[in-house]
C-alpha cells in the first residue's frame, strides 16, 4: 500500500521535508544561543549593577582588559576630569530619540587615566550635527562611581572635531597627549561634588530575556509539523489508492456474467444415424 513512497516524486518530497526541518532546527538552536547570551547578560546585570563599589586598585586589571563577567561592576575612582579631552559620541539613541553621549578622560590621583561616559544629550537645534550645549563636569578633585563597560570596536568612519564615531578607546587615546587605559571605560553612576547641569543618566539595562525561548520552540515545532504533514499526506495517498482499488473491484463484480456456450454437436454422424439414413433412402 505504501510502495509509492519509494517513487522519485515522494522521495523528492521527503528530501524537501528533511531540508525544511533541518533549517527549523538550526534556527531554533540559534534562538537558544541568543537566549543563553541574554541570560548571561541578565546575570551580570543582576550580580554587578547594584553591588557595592570596589576601589580602583581592585579593578585596575579590568580597565586594561575587561573580563566579560565583570561588566557593570561599580568602581570608585578619585581624581579630576580633563575637560580639554572631552568628546561627544555620535549616533547614540535613547528611548528612540537620537542624540549623543559625553565622554571625558578622568585622571586618577594614582597617575592613571580612564574614560568616563557622563551621560546622554539630545540632538541640537542650533547647529546641525552638534548638541546645543555640553554640561561641564565638576572642577578639581572628584569622587566618581562608574560601572565598567568594554571598549567598543572601531566603526571605520571618521567624525568631526570634538566627536567620536564610537567609544573606541585605542583610537581615542591617540588624540590625547598622555597614556589612557583602553580595556574598559566607566559609565557614570554618581559623582561628588555634583553639578546642577548634567547629561541625562543611563537607564538600568533590561532584565527581561525576551522572546527567544518561545521563538526557538516555534521553530522546533515547525520542523516536527513538517514530518507530521508528510505522514498525513502519505496516509491520504494510501487511503485514496485503497478506495480506488475497492471501487474497481465492485465495478467488476457488478458486470453481468456471460452464459457458458452449449456443447457443440459432433459433425460426424453416429452408426445408428447412418443406418436410419439408408433405410429412409429405401423407403422404409
Amino acid at each position: 500500500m505504501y510502495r509509492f513512497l519509494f517513487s522519485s516524486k515522494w522521495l523528492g518530497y521527503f528530501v524537501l521535508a528533511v531540508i525544511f526541518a533541518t533549517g527549523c532546527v538550526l534556527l531554533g538552536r540559534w534562538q537558544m544561543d541568543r537566549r543563553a547570551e541574554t541570560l548571561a547578560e541578565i546575570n551580570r546585570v543582576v550580580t554587578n549593577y547594584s553591588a557595592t563599589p570596589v576601589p580602583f586598585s581592585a579593578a585596575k586589571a579590568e580597565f586594561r582588559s575587561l573580563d566579560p563577567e565583570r561588566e557593570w561592576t561599580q568602581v570608585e575612582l578619585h581624581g579630576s576630569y580633563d575637560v580639554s579631552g572631552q568628546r561627544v559620541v555620535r549616533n547614540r539613541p535613547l528611548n528612540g530619540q537620537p542624540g549623543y553621549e559625553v565622554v571625558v578622560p578622568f585622571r586618577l590621583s594614582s597617575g592613571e587615566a580612564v574614560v568616563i561616559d557622563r551621560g546622554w544629550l539630545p540632538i541640537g537645534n542650533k547647529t546641525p550635527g552638534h548638541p546645543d550645549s555640553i554640561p561641564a563636569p565638576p572642577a578639581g578633585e572628584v569622587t566618581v562611581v562608574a560601572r565598567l563597560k568594554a571598549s567598543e570596536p572601531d566603526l571605520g568612519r571618521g567624525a568631526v572635531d570634538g566627536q567620536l564615531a564610537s567609544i573606541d578607546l585605542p583610537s581615542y587615546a591617540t588624540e590625547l597627549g598622555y597614556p589612557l587605559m583602553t580595556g574598559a571605560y566607566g559609565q557614570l553612576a554618581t559623582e561628588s561634588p555634583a553639578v546642577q547641569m548634567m547629561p541625562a543618566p543611563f537607564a538600568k539595562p533590561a532584565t527581561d530575556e525576551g522572546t527567544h525561548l518561545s521563538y526557538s520552540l516555534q521553530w522546533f515545532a515547525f520542523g516536527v509539523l513538517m514530518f507530521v504533514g508528510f505522514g498525513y499526506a502519505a496516509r491520504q495517498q494510501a487511503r485514496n489508492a485503497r478506495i480506488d482499488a475497492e471501487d474497481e473491484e465492485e465495478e467488476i463484480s457488478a458486470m453481468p456474467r456471460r452464459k457458458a456456450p452449449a456443447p457443440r454437436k459432433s459433425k460426424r454422424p453416429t452408426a445408428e444415424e447412418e443406418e436410419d439414413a439408408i433405410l429412409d433412402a429405401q423407403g422404409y
Side-chain angles (χ1 to χ4, degrees):
M1 187 180 298
Y2 287 93
R3 283 180 294 179
F4 64 87
L5 290 175
F6 296 96
S7 66
S8 58
K9 175 182 176 181
W10 280 89
L11 287 175
Y13 290 158
F14 181 75
V15 170
L16 289 176
V18 171
I19 293 173
F20 180 83
T22 301
C24 291
V25 170
L26 293 176
L27 289 170
R29 293 186 62 179
W30 174 65
Q31 286 289 346
M32 292 297 288
D33 291 341
R34 292 192 62 189
R35 177 174 182 262
E37 294 172 359
T38 302
L39 292 177
E41 174 66 15
I42 291 173
N43 182 64
R44 286 193 290 269
V45 172
V46 171
T47 303
N48 301 333
Y49 192 86
S50 300
T52 303
V54 300
F56 173 74
S57 58
K60 184 183 295 187
E62 306 304 327
F63 279 99
R64 293 194 177 98
S65 179
L66 179 62
D67 180 355
E69 295 303 317
R70 298 294 301 278
E71 187 178 19
W72 302 111
T73 297
Q74 295 196 104
V75 182
E76 185 174 296
L77 310 167
H78 301 279
S80 60
Y81 285 108
D82 176 18
V83 182
S84 65
Q86 178 176 270
R87 302 287 188 274
V88 293
V89 188
R90 299 174 58 84
N91 300 319
R92 312 296 279 205
L94 180 65
N95 297 326
Q97 184 178 356
Y100 308 87
E101 291 178 16
V102 183
V103 292
V104 190
F106 190 80
R107 307 194 71 167
L108 289 93
S109 305
S110 56
E112 293 91 347
V114 299
V115 171
I116 301 298
D117 187 345
R118 297 191 68 236
W120 182 85
L121 297 174
I123 59 174
N125 296 317
K126 299 177 181 179
T127 306
H130 295 77
D132 287 340
S133 62
I134 304 175
E141 289 293 317
V142 184
T143 298
V144 167
V145 175
R147 296 183 176 93
L148 292 173
K149 291 284 292 178
S151 174
E152 297 176 358
D154 181 4
L155 299 181
R157 59 173 182 259
V160 300
D161 291 341
Q163 297 188 4
L164 302 173
S166 67
I167 308 179
D168 173 26
L169 296 178
S171 297
Y172 189 8
T174 61
E175 300 183 12
L176 304 174
Y178 48 83
L180 184 70
M181 303 183 79
T182 59
Y185 67 95
Q187 193 177 86
L188 182 65
T190 63
E191 58 187 10
S192 179
V195 291
Q196 186 174 4
M197 296 296 295
M198 286 283 295
F202 297 102
K204 182 178 180 179
T207 54
D208 181 9
E209 68 175 84
T211 57
H212 300 306
L213 178 60
S214 62
Y215 283 165
S216 64
L217 294 177
Q218 287 176 16
W219 282 118
F220 292 143
F222 290 155
V224 173
L225 287 174
M226 187 63 188
F227 285 107
V228 172
F230 179 85
Y232 177 79
R235 183 174 179 274
Q236 288 297 105
Q237 176 73 11
R239 177 176 175 273
N240 293 339
R242 178 174 55 81
I243 292 175
D244 291 343
E246 292 175 353
D247 291 343
E248 186 176 351
E249 290 178 0
E250 290 178 359
E251 290 178 0
I252 293 175
S253 61
M255 293 177 63
R257 296 182 179 179
R258 294 181 178 179
K259 294 183 178 181
R264 299 175 65 181
K265 295 182 178 180
S266 176
K267 293 181 179 181
R268 185 177 180 179
T270 61
E272 289 81 3
E273 291 175 338
E274 291 179 351
E275 185 178 351
D276 291 340
I278 294 172
L279 292 175
D280 289 339
Q282 295 177 359
Y284 291 101

